[in-house]
Amino acid sequence: MFHLLRRSAAPIWGTVHAVEKEFPLIENADAAVFVNRVNEVLHGEDSPVVLTPPAYDKAKSDLMIPLYTSHTPSGVTVDLYMTPDRAYVHRAAANTEVIDVQGLNEAIAVIAAVALASGMTHDEMSELFLWKPAEEVYAPDELKWVTPETTFKVSRVYCNARQQMMGSDYLRVGPFVTMSIYAVHQ
């Protein structure tokens, strides 16, 4: 089971797309392969969480970012952001409500499983959840959209196996939280 201590997690909602080049979270993995690999990690970690097969979400997609959606047993929505050619997932985001403890735990399990499936060690994965204020990573002009009702935190962890930086965001808007993971650069 994933061993993460979550003492004071102020959750957030929404989806953040930093202006960074998109790299695959898991090499050679379309949405279905990606979910299968994440489910294998969840199973291997003895987690009760399992993702449903991904479905194309036309309502949330646009011509540039195909989006597939999967769900956890308690209904956490997991959005898989694909490259335009649908060759791989470049960002995974788990969305739930702050007051939903089971949902928060499932969101954490999914993000942790994505990190492990992408090649991170357990120690590296755990560091992804040590979010710090976004102001420590982003320039002020990149955070103009952040309102007083928004909590936005980020972490960056170097993955030795991939030899690249991995990122995680924690975004809370009102009662909604989004946790996401992505490869920052190679």
Side-chain angles (χ1 to χ4, degrees):
M1 184 70 98
F2 301 103
H3 300 288
L4 297 174
L5 295 176
R6 302 269 300 168
R7 295 179 195 237
S8 62
I12 25 190
W13 174 256
T15 302
V16 176
H17 294 282
V19 183
E20 297 169 343
K21 188 170 179 184
E22 299 162 351
F23 294 101
L25 283 170
I26 298 172
E27 270 40 51
N28 304 315
D30 63 16
V33 170
F34 182 89
V35 167
N36 285 339
R37 289 189 188 168
V38 171
N39 279 337
E40 288 171 5
V41 170
L42 288 163
H43 179 73
E45 294 288 330
D46 294 325
S47 174
V49 179
V50 63
L51 293 174
T52 61
Y56 179 68
D57 191 330
K58 185 175 172 86
K60 290 184 180 180
S61 295
D62 61 29
L63 296 176
M64 297 303 293
I65 303 175
L67 187 130
Y68 287 74
T69 300
S70 187
H71 296 91
T72 67
S74 74
V76 171
T77 300
V78 179
D79 292 329
L80 308 173
Y81 294 87
M82 304 291 296
T83 54
D85 61 1
R86 291 179 170 83
Y88 60 82
V89 175
H90 67 85
R91 174 183 289 267
N95 309 290
T96 190
E97 291 188 47
V98 178
I99 60 170
D100 181 358
V101 175
Q102 181 177 350
L104 286 173
N105 287 333
E106 288 181 2
I108 291 168
V110 168
I111 298 303
V114 171
L116 294 173
S118 72
M120 296 185 86
T121 65
H122 278 85
D123 288 341
E124 291 168 341
M125 173 271 298
S126 294
E127 287 183 47
L128 279 177
F129 295 95
L130 301 176
W131 294 295
K132 56 187 170 188
E135 294 82 10
E136 294 182 25
V137 175
Y138 292 103
D141 62 324
E142 294 176 295
L143 299 173
K144 291 179 182 177
W145 59 270
V146 178
T147 66
E149 300 80 30
T150 304
T151 302
F152 181 39
K153 297 181 181 185
V154 299
S155 68
R156 300 287 186 267
V157 178
Y158 187 76
C159 175
N160 284 314
R162 294 174 66 103
Q163 296 191 3
Q164 74 182 68
M165 192 67 68
M166 301 293 283
S168 176
D169 294 344
Y170 173 86
L171 179 68
R172 177 180 177 183
V173 178
F176 301 103
V177 173
T178 295
M179 295 176 214
S180 62
I181 182 171
Y182 46 92
V184 178
H185 62 77
Q186 292 186 344

